[in-house]
Amino acid sequence: MKTILLASGVTIMACSMILFPKESFSASIRGLNMWWEIVFPSLFPFFVISELLIGFGVVKFMGVLLEPLMRPLFRVPGVGGFAWAMGMATGFPAGAKLSARLRQERQLSRVEAERLVSFTNSSSPLFIFGAVSVGFFLNPRLGILFAFAHYLGNFLVGICMRFYGEKEKRVYRERRSPWKIFSHALSELHRTRIMNKQPIGKLLGDAVISSVQTLLMIGGFIILFSVINKLLYQLNITFLLAGFTEYILKIFHLPQELGVPIIAGIFEITLGSQMASQVNEANLMHQAMITSFILGFSGFSVQAQVASIIALTDIKFKPFFMARILHGFLAAGITFLLWKPFAEKLHIVSGNNVIPVMLQEHDLWWEYTLNLFVVIGPIITILSLMIYTYLLVKKMDSTNV
């Protein structure tokens, strides 16, 4: 039965691409532009630096220092703090890549890696403020509420996931003074650097090759799910699936017109967030709640990227998927609970483009940063791909010799 369903689904998609070539092509271009202009140039430097930080032992150093914080809160080693911070700063799937890398380095157990990957993948501030609040809602103040609900929801997911894997053997460590912790961190930093005997040039080349290969995979998923989402819309499957969400929307007293954006967002967050901002039958609070849910759930496109990354390890995908559902509902609930105080404090009004004091500098610097990526992003992408091609050819030649 599973074989028949999978084969039928792929066949329908192939036929749909033939029936709707123009729509498929435009969806591919849309996904490619997003990867070309924003995703690659924003993630590539962080991926390379992360690989170098792990290779030079800096992550191990930070792990020892963060152990007293991460272990009691999330039941993960201190190195998880690095993955958590990088995941919030750069956006998905950076948290999954770092979690998988730490698991390959044996710095995490399987259960610890599953806990870590469940709450270290989140939307980047650039996407929340620049694309969603400014680009879709035309309301920069709304980005503050989106970011607060999103990151607080992710923190609560981490707290909940600490109870995952209760049967594992707990490790108790003796209490140390701050000086002893810092001294131990320095010794771990030095020991890791000594053990890694690869030259700096080799480490840098491997970091570039690994980062570009991961980003190429991410780009493929973005384009693929952009096309799938468009074809589902053309085949009216999106509207059919949206009918099932009407019952859930009725329970929470939300407009039924939000069903289509929810289904679109379940597959791809950018289109879903954009469609949610355009539902005139819903008020701004309802639109914000649905958008927060979409950002928390992350969409099948991001989840497929994470599944592809963790497939190289023994990390299970199911805990991550359940955490995304939990994150979606928590973010939507936080948005509902904090809507009134945030709306009164920040004077959030539908269609209000007034910029709060913290965003007035440099004429809305989130929008400026987003436009800067659109201008210089392709240049960074081209140069990075050229460097990747050169290093890959050089590596293949040295292997053949």
Side-chain angles (χ1 to χ4, degrees):
M1 192 65 183
K2 183 178 179 180
T3 302
I4 295 175
L5 289 175
L6 290 175
S8 301
V10 174
T11 303
I12 291 173
M13 286 299 164
C15 295
S16 301
M17 292 179 65
I18 298 174
L19 294 175
F20 304 103
K22 183 178 179 180
E23 290 79 2
S24 300
F25 180 76
S26 62
S28 298
I29 294 297
R30 173 181 167 274
L32 179 61
N33 286 336
M34 185 188 305
W35 176 82
W36 177 267
E37 297 175 349
I38 305 295
V39 176
F40 191 104
S42 62
L43 288 182
F44 177 73
F46 284 97
F47 279 0
V48 174
I49 294 299
S50 299
E51 292 285 340
L52 295 177
L53 289 174
I54 293 175
F56 291 141
V58 179
V59 174
K60 192 70 174 179
F61 172 81
M62 295 175 60
V64 176
L65 295 180
L66 294 174
E67 184 79 13
L69 173 66
M70 300 299 294
R71 184 69 68 176
L73 279 178
F74 307 115
R75 288 180 63 199
V76 297
V79 291
F82 172 76
W84 188 26
M86 294 294 286
M88 286 192 297
T90 61
F92 29 66
K97 178 175 173 57
L98 292 173
S99 300
R101 183 77 165 82
L102 292 173
R103 175 57 183 155
Q104 292 171 342
E105 294 280 330
R106 300 293 180 183
Q107 299 188 43
L108 299 171
S109 67
R110 181 182 62 81
V111 176
E112 290 171 344
E114 289 169 357
R115 290 197 198 107
L116 185 62
V117 77
S118 66
F119 71 93
T120 54
N121 286 272
S122 57
S123 296
S124 66
L126 177 64
F127 180 76
I128 293 177
F129 281 89
V132 178
S133 62
V134 175
F136 299 154
F137 284 89
L138 305 178
N139 196 328
R141 298 185 177 193
L142 199 57
I144 301 174
L145 178 59
F146 281 144
F148 189 85
H150 187 72
Y151 296 125
L152 178 59
N154 221 14
F155 174 81
L156 295 177
V157 168
I159 297 296
C160 294
M161 288 301 294
R162 76 181 306 278
F163 300 103
Y164 171 75
E166 278 289 332
K167 295 181 180 180
E168 68 173 349
K169 184 179 179 180
R170 298 195 178 191
V171 179
Y172 296 93
R173 291 177 172 83
E174 60 176 347
R175 293 185 178 181
R176 298 178 178 178
S177 64
W179 171 248
K180 285 187 176 180
I181 293 176
F182 185 75
S183 176
H184 179 58
L186 285 176
S187 63
E188 287 294 325
L189 169 66
H190 182 67
R191 187 176 66 86
T192 304
R193 189 190 68 82
I194 295 299
M195 290 179 61
N196 194 343
K197 298 180 180 180
Q198 292 180 328
I200 296 179
K202 181 68 166 54
L203 281 174
L204 182 60
D206 290 344
V208 171
I209 292 174
S210 174
S211 300
V212 173
Q213 288 176 343
T214 302
L215 286 166
L216 288 173
M217 178 271 297
I218 293 173
F221 276 115
I222 292 175
I223 297 172
L224 174 63
F225 275 88
S226 179
V227 174
I228 290 176
N229 213 348
K230 187 66 174 180
L231 292 178
L232 291 175
Y233 186 84
Q234 291 294 325
L235 295 173
N236 293 324
I237 297 177
T238 301
F239 296 97
L240 179 64
L241 296 175
F244 294 99
T245 64
E246 293 181 1
Y247 300 99
I248 301 176
L249 292 172
K250 287 181 180 179
I251 295 174
F252 293 100
H253 303 285
L254 295 173
Q256 298 180 7
E257 290 78 8
L258 290 169
V260 174
I262 290 176
I263 297 301
I266 286 176
F267 283 90
E268 207 271 317
I269 60 172
T270 307
L271 181 60
S273 300
Q274 183 180 27
M275 294 179 68
S277 67
Q278 297 172 349
V279 178
N280 297 323
E281 292 80 5
N283 59 42
L284 188 59
M285 184 186 73
H286 295 154
Q287 294 173 333
M289 289 175 59
I290 296 303
T291 303
S292 290
F293 172 83
I294 292 172
L295 291 173
F297 185 73
S298 301
F300 291 147
S301 175
V302 172
Q303 293 180 21
Q305 298 169 27
V306 173
S308 179
I309 291 173
I310 64 177
L312 301 175
T313 66
D314 57 352
I315 302 175
K316 295 181 180 178
F317 176 76
K318 184 178 179 181
F320 171 79
F321 179 73
M322 300 304 296
R324 297 280 56 78
I325 298 176
L326 178 61
H327 188 194
F329 282 104
L330 284 174
I334 293 171
T335 302
F336 172 75
L337 293 175
L338 299 181
W339 177 261
K340 187 175 181 179
F342 263 80
E344 293 177 352
K345 187 72 174 177
L346 300 175
H347 305 289
I348 296 176
V349 182
S350 181
N352 184 11
N353 266 332
V354 180
I355 303 171
V357 176
M358 66 175 292
L359 296 177
Q360 286 180 357
E361 188 177 2
H362 303 304
D363 297 323
L364 190 53
W365 57 281
W366 284 111
E367 187 174 10
Y368 171 78
T369 305
L370 185 64
N371 292 332
L372 183 65
F373 268 108
V374 173
V375 174
I376 69 172
I379 300 175
I380 297 176
T381 304
I382 292 174
L383 292 177
S384 302
L385 291 175
M386 291 174 62
I387 295 172
Y388 164 75
T389 304
Y390 169 76
L391 292 174
L392 186 62
V393 172
K394 187 176 180 182
K395 183 178 181 181
M396 292 175 62
D397 290 340
S398 62
T399 304
N400 293 333
V401 173

